[in-house]
């Protein structure tokens, strides 16, 4: 079995008392800030000594850069996957696969890059149509994020922009779907398309995050749109000069000051997620 | 006939540039067909169709597939069947959209 995409065996850090594994999926229009928020949220939860697996499922991956890891075209599951009847079979339990294949980011975040379709094709010297590979990738992805069987933590998933991966079945075991919406009509349309797909897993919560907000009017615009879709607004993240500056300097977002407005907003989002994730039999629903 | 393709990262403004270009050309008297080939199509918004109007556009590709394995007879046929009016001299064909789950 090839392990060239798996840099070594690393265990998760000692974790604070935590929740059962909760899978949070960020969806939204391309450029709405899913990767940035996924990275900052992963770092925030990790800072709170929660165990976090961050997954970049985007076919044009960008989460590594947010987390301060070297960008790569690798498909991180290559070391755990073998060909099986034209599809893939993953070796080991999800926890073992994360142990083997994930890289380690700030605060011990375990990072998996699993959406890069081209790298996938290359890794397997595969001549199948990339489109079909994406769906095989979905199966692998769902397998690896489905059943961590230990104490718990967070799986934070960054999907590609739009609804293609959602339509392809990547929401299967999602606990919380966070729709990232900028104060623009195109961003609202993507949210509308996503919410309108309906037929969600019964246990999934659908919440909204307003991003790149510059004024109360911006927030009201997003909130009104989400209200019409029946989606609660859980966090409003301002357009933050520190974020723009970091992007321009090619500086990982997770290294910007924790006191900056965007990071504080993400911290409030983490509060809400943690409140919502308290198991009913232990602490009751908030 | 001149074809213009607009490319770039998500959120960089491809759709806005394409929409404004198309409108300007149409207002200048040229007949313009816009094709939204994005998997998450938004071009209708830039052309002025609004969120609901754009949401309601059909995806030509899905519709053709639903009709069976056959492809439309010709490009003209696709345009005739699927183009929506977006103003004088201005039409839009939306290639596909993903607003429901795929079986299997």
């Amino acid at each position: 079995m090839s392990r060239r995409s798996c840099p070594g065996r690393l265990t998760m850090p000692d974790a604070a008392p935590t929740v059962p594994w909760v899978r949070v999926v960020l969806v939204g229009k391309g450029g709405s800030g899913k990767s940035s928020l996924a990275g900052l949220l992963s770092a925030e939860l990790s800072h709170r000594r929660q165990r976090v697996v961050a997954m970049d499922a985007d076919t044009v991956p960008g989460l590594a850069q947010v987390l301060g890891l070297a960008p790569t075209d690798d498909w991180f599951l290559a070391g755990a996957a073998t060909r099986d009847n034209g599809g893939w079979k993953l070796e080991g339990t999800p926890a073992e696969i994360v142990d083997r294949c994930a890289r380690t980011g700030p605060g011990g975040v375990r990072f998996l890059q699993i959406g890069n379709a081209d790298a996938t094709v290359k890794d397997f010297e595969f001549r199948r149509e990339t489109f079909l590979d994406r769906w095989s990738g979905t199966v692998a992805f769902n397998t690896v994020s489905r059943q961590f069987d230990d104490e718990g933590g967070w799986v934070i998933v960054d999907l590609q922009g739009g609804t293609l991966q959602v339509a392809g079945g990547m929401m299967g075991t999602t606990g919380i779907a966070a729709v990232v919406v900028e104060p623009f009509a195109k961003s609202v349309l993507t949210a509308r398309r996503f919410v309108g797909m309906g037929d969600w897993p019964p246990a999934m919560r659908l919440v909204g995050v307003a991003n790149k907000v510059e004024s109360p009017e911006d927030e009201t615009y997003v909130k009104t749109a989400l209200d019409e879709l029946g989606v609660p607004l859980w966090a409003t993240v301002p357009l933050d000069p520190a974020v723009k500056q970091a992007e321009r300097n090619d500086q990982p977002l997770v290294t910007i000051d924790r006191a900056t407005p965007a990071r504080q907003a993400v911290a409030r989002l983490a509060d809400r997620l943690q409140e919502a994730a308290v198991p009913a039999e232990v602490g009751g629903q908030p | 006939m001149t074809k213009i393709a607009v490319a770039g990262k998500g959120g960089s403004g491809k759709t806005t540039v394409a929409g404004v270009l198309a409108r300007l050309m149409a207002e200048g008297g040229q007949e313009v067909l816009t094709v939204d080939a994005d998997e998450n199509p938004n071009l209708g918004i830039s052309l002025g169709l609004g969120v609901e109007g754009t949401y309601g556009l059909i995806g030509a590709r899905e519709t053709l597939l639903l009709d069976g394995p056959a492809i439309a007879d010709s490009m003209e046929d696709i345009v005739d069947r699927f183009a929506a009016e977006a103003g004088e001299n201005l039409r839009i064909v939306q290639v596909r959209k993903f607003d429901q789950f795929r079986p299997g």
Side-chain angles (χ1 to χ4, degrees):
Chain A
M1 179 173 29
S2 161
R3 293 186 56 155
R4 65 198 170 92
S5 291
C6 301
R9 191 176 183 84
L10 291 161
T11 51
M12 297 215 177
D14 289 340
T18 184
V19 297
W21 284 99
V22 177
R23 183 172 168 193
V24 180
V25 177
L26 289 99
V27 295
K29 184 181 175 302
S32 60
K34 294 176 296 301
S35 299
S36 300
L37 294 179
L40 291 176
L41 180 61
S42 297
E44 178 63 33
L45 289 167
S46 163
H47 183 78
R48 299 176 184 196
R49 297 182 60 232
Q50 301 287 295
R51 299 201 300 177
V52 179
V53 177
M55 293 191 185
D56 191 348
D58 197 335
T59 44
V60 185
L63 183 53
Q65 156 69 8
V66 177
L67 292 171
L69 298 167
T72 165
D73 280 338
D74 284 354
W75 186 68
F76 288 15
L77 296 180
T82 52
R83 290 283 302 281
D84 181 38
N85 281 334
W88 303 332
K89 188 172 143 203
L90 291 175
E91 306 283 346
T93 67
E96 287 166 353
I97 291 166
V98 169
D99 244 8
R100 270 214 306 276
C101 297
R103 298 184 185 179
T104 302
V109 171
R110 305 308 313 274
F111 170 66
L112 281 172
Q113 181 168 291
I114 58 178
N116 190 334
D118 289 342
T120 304
V121 174
K122 188 179 64 192
D123 281 340
F124 286 93
E125 294 170 355
F126 229 14
R127 289 286 176 264
R128 295 179 64 212
E129 194 187 344
T130 300
F131 188 73
L132 290 177
D133 276 323
R134 285 195 195 174
W135 305 128
S136 297
T138 305
V139 174
F141 166 82
N142 280 325
T143 303
V144 84
S145 62
R146 178 166 290 139
Q147 351 159 314
F148 294 95
D149 46 10
D150 53 6
E151 308 95 278
W154 299 84
V155 180
I156 308 294
V157 182
D158 178 23
L159 289 191
Q160 83 177 54
T163 49
L164 185 148
Q165 289 182 321
V166 177
M170 282 188 137
M171 304 299 288
T173 55
T174 299
I176 297 172
V179 193
V180 182
V181 184
E182 301 161 274
F184 303 113
K186 287 169 192 157
S187 207
V188 167
L189 173 61
T190 301
R192 165 93 170 80
R193 198 169 274 142
F194 172 72
V195 174
M197 292 168 79
D199 201 18
W200 300 111
M204 191 185 90
R205 293 182 79 161
L206 195 48
V207 307
V209 178
N211 194 25
K212 304 184 193 174
V213 168
E214 291 185 90
S215 66
E217 290 74 24
D218 281 356
E219 185 178 28
T220 302
Y221 175 81
V222 173
K223 183 167 188 324
T224 304
L226 288 172
D227 281 349
E228 285 173 10
L229 297 174
V231 175
L233 177 63
W234 268 25
T236 296
V237 184
L239 186 69
D240 187 336
V243 170
K244 187 195 268 187
Q245 198 61 45
E247 295 267 6
R248 284 189 182 166
N249 295 342
D250 210 16
Q251 173 197 348
L253 280 189
V254 293
T255 63
I256 66 176
D257 196 307
R258 292 176 54 79
T260 54
R263 290 205 74 163
Q264 293 200 334
V266 170
R268 288 191 291 275
L269 175 61
D271 290 343
R272 303 250 1 209
L273 290 168
Q274 286 189 292
E275 287 164 18
V278 174
E281 63 272 25
V282 178
Q285 288 295 323
Chain B
M1 181 173 67
T2 304
K3 293 181 193 170
I4 301 174
V6 184
K9 184 188 176 297
S12 61
K14 298 178 290 298
T15 304
T16 304
V17 168
V20 171
L21 262 181
R23 281 212 84 94
L24 286 172
M25 288 170 172
E27 284 168 16
Q30 300 182 70
E31 189 182 345
V32 181
L33 173 68
T34 60
V35 179
D36 194 343
D38 197 320
E39 288 159 353
N40 187 43
N42 297 313
L43 181 57
I45 287 179
S46 285
L47 295 178
L49 297 179
V51 170
E52 286 306 310
T54 306
Y55 182 76
L57 292 175
I58 55 174
R61 188 169 180 275
E62 283 87 358
T63 310
L64 284 172
L65 289 173
L66 282 177
D67 285 349
I71 308 292
D73 290 337
S74 65
M75 191 57 74
E76 287 74 18
D77 183 37
I78 291 178
V79 173
D80 284 346
R81 285 173 65 187
F82 298 111
E85 296 292 329
E88 195 175 347
N89 298 328
L90 186 56
R91 290 180 295 172
I92 176 171
V93 171
Q94 191 168 274
V95 175
R96 57 180 178 167
K97 60 179 181 177
F98 293 89
D99 60 359
Q100 50 194 319
F101 295 98
R102 302 177 149 255

